[in-house]
Amino acid sequence: MRVLLLGGGGREHAIGWKLVQSPKLDALISCPGNPGLAELGLVVPDIDPTDAAAIIKLVAANSIDLVIVGPEAPLAAGIADALTDLGIAVFGPSKAGAQLEASKSFAKDVMVGAGIPTASSETFTDATLAKAHLAQTDGPYVVKANGLAAGKGVLVTESLQDADAWVDECLEGRFGSPDASVVIEEYMDGDEVSVFFLCSDGVAVSFEPARDYKRLSDGDHGPNTGGMGSYSPVDDLPADLVEWTTERVALPALSELERRGISYTGFLYVGLMLTSDGPRVIEFNVRLGDPETQALMPRLSSDLLAAIDAATRGALSYVDLRWTETATVNVVLAADGYPVAPRTGDEIDLGTPTEGSIVFHAGTSRDGDRLLTGGGRVLNVVGTGDTIDEARMNAYATAATIKFTGKHFRTDIGAIRRDS
Ligand code: AMP
Ligand code: GLY
C-alpha cells in the first residue's frame, strides 16, 4: 500500500516508524513530515495538511491508497470529508465527528447523551453570567476555551480572580474567534491516564493505556505544556480499566454519534481522571496523544497498517491489537523558551543512542547537512526495557548524549508514576 501520513510531530514520526515495519507498506509519504520521517520515505514539507485541494492533488500524484491523519486540525477543517467524497480511503473522522475535540460543548453533549461519566459543565457566551456562575461555586475552578486551542485553552486554578480573567481571555477570542464561548466545569481530583482506540462502524479496538506529564518542570511544577514525557504500561490502574473504557465510554460515544448521523472512523483519545468515585472522562480527542504515542508504538507487536486498513474496510471487528511486555519511557527534549516562546535554529548533535532507545523527531528542521531545532518540543527519546526503571535509564542515557543549546527536559519521567 502507498500511504500518506498527515502531520509532522513526534506522534507522526512514531506512527510512521511503526507503519514502515508493515509488510503491507510499499511507500510512506508524509506531509508536512519532519527530518525523522524523511528517513522513512518522501516528505512534502510545503503543503499545509488542512488544504484539502492540495492534499487531493498530492494523493493523485503519488497514487496513494490510504491517508492517515495524525493531528486534529486537518480533521476539524474537513479533510476526511473531502477525501471520502472522492472515494479516497482515509483514517480520521469527518468534520462533524472531529467536533468531539474541536468543540468542548459538543463533546459534553455527546457524553451526557451517552451517559458517560464526566464532570458536570455549563457553556457561556456572556462573561457576566460565566463569572456569576464561578462565584457561586467553590474552587478549584476549571475554565476552558470551547474551541481548539492547541492544548492551551484550559485553566485549573484555586483563584477566583484568575478564573474570571481566563473567562475574559477566552471570550475575547485569545483561543479562537471573538464570538467564542467558554466552558466551566466541575473540578475532578485524581490521577490521569490516556486510553486510545481505533474506531469504525461502531467498533472500538483499544490500545494499552499510557500516561503523560503535562507540567514543564520536575515534580509537576511550572506551566502546562503539550507534554514533557510519557510512559507505558501504567502500573497503578484498576485491572478492568481498558474494558471499562471500551464499554462505558468508547462504544456509547460511537452509538451516540451514530444516533446523530455521524459515522466515526479514526483514532479516539479518551482522557480519564481516576477519581475516588471511579474513572471519569476529562476530554475526547480525535487523534492519538502526543507524547503518549511515542511510548506506545514500540510496545505494539501487531501490524498497525493492517489494523487501520481493516478499519477503513469495515473489518475492524476482526482486529485484535497485541502488545509486548516491554516498558517504555519517553523523555521530551524541549527548546529554550518552551512553552511560551521557543527559540529555533539551534544546531542539534544527535549524539549516540544507547541500545534500547529510539529517538523520534518533533520540532526539528534541516539546513543542508545540519539538523536544527525548529519547534518547542524538539525530540522524543524513548527508552525501552523489561521494567519502567530500565526503560527510564536507557532514555536518559541517550538524552544525555544529545546536545543543543537551550536543551531542557524533566528528569523525573517514569520516576514519579502518579501524576498528582
Ligand atoms: P483538557 O484540554 O480538557 O484535557 O484539559 C487539560 C488538562 O486540564 C487536563 O489534562 C487536566 O489535567 C486538567 N483538567 C481538565 N478538566 C479538568 C477537570 N474538570 N478537573 C480537573 N482537572 C481538569
Ligand atoms: N498528551 C496530550 C495530548 O496529546 O493532548
Side-chain angles (χ1 to χ4, degrees):
M1 296 183 74
R2 297 178 62 80
V3 173
L4 173 62
L5 175 63
L6 298 185
R11 169 183 51 216
E12 286 76 27
H13 189 188
I15 293 172
W17 174 87
K18 183 66 193 168
L19 292 176
V20 298
Q21 294 171 26
S22 169
K24 288 177 80 81
L25 188 87
D26 295 315
L28 177 70
I29 295 154
S30 310
C31 172
N34 66 35
L37 282 159
E39 289 171 16
L40 305 176
L42 181 71
V43 295
V44 184
D46 41 7
I47 290 181
D48 175 355
T50 65
D51 180 347
I55 294 298
I56 287 164
K57 274 193 203 151
L58 190 62
V59 164
N62 289 279
S63 310
I64 295 296
D65 302 302
L66 170 67
V67 180
I68 300 175
V69 187
E72 66 281 11
L75 296 166
I79 193 76
D81 310 68
L83 293 167
T84 305
D85 283 351
L86 293 176
I88 300 162
V90 54
F91 192 67
S94 62
K95 184 173 182 170
Q99 293 299 301
L100 272 190
E101 177 164 358
S103 165
K104 292 205 184 276
S105 53
F106 176 84
K108 278 288 174 189
D109 273 1
V110 169
M111 287 186 230
V112 171
I116 294 169
T118 186
S120 60
S121 77
E122 284 197 47
T123 305
F124 298 90
T125 50
D126 179 277
T128 312
L129 293 178
K131 289 176 192 173
H133 179 78
L134 283 171
Q136 282 165 14
T137 56
D138 295 330
Y141 305 95
V142 181
V143 182
K144 303 185 175 186
N146 198 5
L148 287 183
K152 300 196 182 94
V154 176
L155 181 73
V156 180
T157 179
E158 303 267 355
S159 154
L160 181 58
Q161 205 180 351
D162 291 354
D164 282 350
W166 201 255
V167 165
D168 288 331
E169 292 218 36
C170 292
L171 292 178
E172 280 159 16
R174 173 168 155 188
F175 305 107
S177 60
D179 60 351
S181 48
V182 66
V183 175
I184 295 177
E185 266 188 26
E186 169 198 1
Y187 173 76
M188 297 187 288
D189 194 16
D191 294 318
E192 291 180 42
V193 66
S194 309
V195 185
F196 308 111
F197 295 87
L198 300 178
C199 302
S200 77
D201 305 293
V203 178
V205 173
S206 58
F207 280 34
E208 289 265 290
R211 180 171 279 153
D212 75 342
Y213 295 73
K214 293 222 169 58
R215 300 293 188 130
L216 180 68
S217 309
D218 283 358
D220 283 329
H221 297 297
N224 259 321
T225 69
M228 293 299 290
S230 57
Y231 69 93
S232 181
V234 184
D235 50 14
D236 53 45
L237 302 176
D240 64 345
L241 185 76
V242 171
E243 201 184 346
W244 182 92
T245 312
T246 309
E247 300 297 329
R248 291 293 313 277
V249 181
L251 294 176
L254 295 179
S255 304
E256 176 65 18
L257 289 171
E258 202 65 57
R259 204 178 63 73
R260 294 164 182 241
I262 300 169
S263 172
Y264 189 97
T265 299
F267 298 113
L268 177 67
Y269 170 137
V270 179
L272 291 171
M273 187 76 84
L274 306 173
T275 75
S276 52
D277 296 331
R280 296 169 83 188
V281 175
I282 305 168
E283 64 165 347
F284 286 135
N285 292 311
V286 297
R287 53 179 172 79
L288 294 180
D290 188 339
E292 293 97 316
T293 305
Q294 295 87 312
L296 285 169
M297 289 299 111
R299 297 197 57 225
L300 179 59
S301 48
S302 301
D303 182 333
L304 180 67
L305 179 56
I308 291 176
D309 183 40
T312 61
R313 293 172 190 276
L316 189 58
S317 53
Y318 300 105
V319 170
D320 176 25
L321 293 179
R322 294 185 182 274
W323 302 83
T324 64
E325 294 297 313
T326 307
T328 52
V329 169
N330 172 24
V331 177
V332 170
L333 305 186
D336 193 46
Y338 180 71
V340 179
R343 189 178 68 216
T344 59
D346 289 313
E347 185 158 2
I348 302 168
D349 170 356
L350 278 179
T352 338
T354 53
E355 206 177 313
S357 70
I358 308 163
V359 176
F360 293 122
H361 290 237
T364 63
S365 66
R366 280 249 173 243
D367 176 21
D369 284 346
R370 297 191 321 144
L371 185 67
L372 304 177
T373 62
R377 290 187 286 174
V378 179
L379 293 164
N380 296 264
V381 185
V382 180
T384 62
D386 290 339
T387 60
I388 292 281
D389 286 338
E390 193 182 319
R392 182 178 136 70
M393 237 170 47
N394 285 334
Y396 280 109
T398 295
T401 75
I402 297 175
K403 296 190 175 59
F404 59 89
T405 307
K407 169 182 101 169
H408 64 267
F409 54 91
R410 280 182 62 159
T411 64
D412 60 358
I413 304 298
I416 50 163
R417 309 262 173 84
R418 304 181 77 91
D419 63 1
S420 61

